[in-house]
Amino acid sequence: MDFQDVGNLLWALLVSLYYCLEAIVMFFVPTGRKVVRGQTVLITGAGSGIGQRLSVEFAKLGCTIVGVDISIVGLGETKKKLEDLNMKVKYHCYKCDLSDREQIYDVADKVKSDVGDVDILINNAGIVTGKRLMDCPDKLMIKTMDVNAVAHFWTIKAFLPSMLEKNCGHIVTIASGAGVFGLPALLDYCASKFAAVGLSEALDLELWQQRKDGIHVTVVCPYYIDTGMFKGVSTPILPILKPEYAVNRMVDAILKNKRMLLLPGFSYVMYALKGFLPSKAMYVMGEACGINTSMDTFIGRKKE
Ligand SMILES: NC(=O)c1ccc[n+]([C@@H]2O[C@H](COP(=O)([O-])OP(=O)(O)OC[C@H]3O[C@@H](n4cnc5c(N)ncnc54)[C@H](O)[C@@H]3O)[C@@H](O)[C@H]2O)c1
């Protein structure tokens, strides 16, 4: 290490300190929400649950909505919800199986020619098998990885170039609390969501290195939400989140360009504790909260 290396390190420490102070100040100063009226928001998994609610919320904010889903019925239901708003909402929808890379690129080409550039991309579609490792068929595990994580590569590669050109845009990942904490019977789901969180963090860093400060990256990691996806889970201590609460918090985080949102707020404490507590201490706490056994009663969507 020579004199210049030491100088660079000291400089980096000073700048880091500045960013820490900035973060503390920003924590107390209310941050304004950006205006998204007239922007195009593409939401995957727009035919149900969170994706449908995000479509409605961004439509209320004056955005053009591009819904992508494997379910034509779901996309039709979202159309109905948007019509019920009694606003002139511009809604385009596309059937696409996100586990198929070719279909994603085909749909992306259609979106670009029908609607134009996408300003906010929300990778939201997700599936869960809810089986333990040895009980889960290989095909389902691969499908989980494809829909929950790998698809994000292709949607981002399709829509990021126009954002890079303009140095303007937003990539949002709806991951999960299972993207920062491992849980039994969610092994493939956790793997896919950890991947999605890692992708989002690495993308943010790549953009920061390229000085693309007009493109924002947000990753959302919620606890269970009452949409039906995790029907049957038992949560004796921590109540399941209401979808309207979760979606309002997500929209707020996106409009404030937050990098990461954990839901509920208590998750931040657990996330911090995970950094220095021994794993076994975390496991015991997970047992006490009933979170480690929450999937024992899982039914999910397939058995509905
Ligand atoms: N519900 C929860 O408890 C919860 C908690 C944390 C994170 N999440 C995440 O939030 C996101 C939305 O979850 P949700 O509760 O709204 O689920 P949901 O089941 O209500 O909606 C998922 C949507 O994704 C679509 N989809 C599934 N497979 C697809 C594929 N191959 N191609 C295209 N579309 C496909 C479905 O048709 C559906 O419309 C998911 O990524 C989920 O992992 C949910």
Side-chain angles (χ1 to χ4, degrees):
M1 196 185 263
D2 62 18
F3 188 69
Q4 200 181 351
D5 291 334
V6 175
N8 286 343
L9 204 62
L10 282 174
W11 175 244
L13 278 171
L14 267 177
V15 178
S16 309
L17 193 66
Y18 164 80
Y19 284 132
C20 290
L21 290 172
E22 186 191 57
I24 292 168
V25 172
M26 295 311 282
F27 183 78
F28 292 105
V29 177
T31 319
R33 289 170 147 216
K34 67 181 173 187
V35 176
V36 290
R37 177 165 292 281
Q39 295 197 356
T40 299
V41 185
L42 186 146
I43 303 167
T44 68
S48 168
I50 304 297
Q52 189 169 73
R53 284 174 180 271
L54 284 171
S55 303
V56 170
E57 293 309 315
F58 277 100
K60 284 186 198 164
L61 292 167
C63 297
T64 296
I65 305 300
V66 180
V68 174
D69 205 296
I70 198 168
S71 165
I72 281 284
V73 175
L75 289 169
E77 284 168 10
T78 302
K79 184 171 188 243
K80 178 85 188 50
K81 298 244 179 223
L82 294 174
E83 283 166 358
D84 288 348
L85 289 176
N86 282 325
M87 293 168 61
K88 277 193 178 166
V89 179
K90 289 184 190 151
Y91 175 61
H92 305 258
C93 62
Y94 300 85
K95 180 179 163 51
C96 177
D97 180 351
L98 290 157
S99 65
D100 181 338
R101 182 168 56 101
E102 295 306 323
Q103 279 193 42
I104 295 176
Y105 282 144
D106 284 350
V107 164
D109 287 342
K110 279 189 204 135
V111 171
K112 285 178 212 170
S113 79
D114 298 349
V115 192
D117 294 340
V118 165
D119 302 294
I120 304 177
L121 165 66
I122 307 183
N123 279 313
N124 160 76
I127 52 171
V128 59
T129 57
K131 295 182 191 301
R132 287 179 178 262
L133 175 67
M134 298 311 291
D135 301 329
C136 193
D138 296 359
K139 262 190 179 175
L140 285 186
M141 300 181 91
I142 292 168
K143 189 99 176 169
T144 302
M145 291 303 295
D146 283 345
V147 176
N148 296 5
V150 178
H152 298 200
F153 291 144
W154 321 132
T155 54
I156 294 171
K157 283 187 95 172
F159 296 108
L160 185 61
S162 65
M163 297 184 190
L164 287 170
E165 257 173 45
K166 295 184 269 191
N167 187 22
C168 186
H170 204 137
I171 308 276
V172 181
T173 303
I174 308 300
S176 168
V180 285
F181 304 105
L183 278 180
L186 278 177
L187 195 128
D188 53 342
Y189 186 76
C190 287
S192 69
K193 294 296 185 178
F194 268 73
V197 172
L199 187 161
S200 179
E201 189 176 308
L203 175 67
D204 191 36
L205 189 51
E206 275 197 10
L207 293 168
W208 181 79
Q209 275 187 334
Q210 293 169 51
R211 305 287 183 263
K212 294 292 180 188
D213 55 356
I215 306 175
H216 302 280
V217 176
T218 298
V219 61
V220 181
C221 300
Y223 178 65
Y224 296 124
I225 308 167
D226 190 10
T227 62
M229 183 183 194
F230 281 92
K231 190 177 171 193
V233 291
S234 69
T235 55
I237 293 185
L238 298 170
I240 293 182
L241 301 175
K242 293 266 172 262
E244 52 273 31
Y245 161 79
V247 169
N248 284 342
R249 292 293 310 274
M250 289 177 197
V251 172
D252 190 63
I254 296 166
L255 297 181
K256 289 178 176 168
N257 294 327
K258 282 198 177 170
R259 287 195 161 78
M260 192 178 207
L261 173 70
L262 301 183
L263 286 176
F266 175 69
S267 316
Y268 287 99
V269 179
M270 297 309 288
Y271 191 46
L273 287 177
K274 189 184 167 182
F276 60 87
L277 279 187
S279 302
K280 281 184 189 163
M282 292 297 290
Y283 297 165
V284 169
M285 272 165 34
E287 291 289 320
C289 297
I291 187 77
N292 291 357
T293 46
S294 57
M295 286 296 289
D296 291 357
T297 46
F298 171 79
I299 300 165
R301 288 207 179 281
K302 269 171 281 157
K303 292 176 195 163
E304 269 176 4

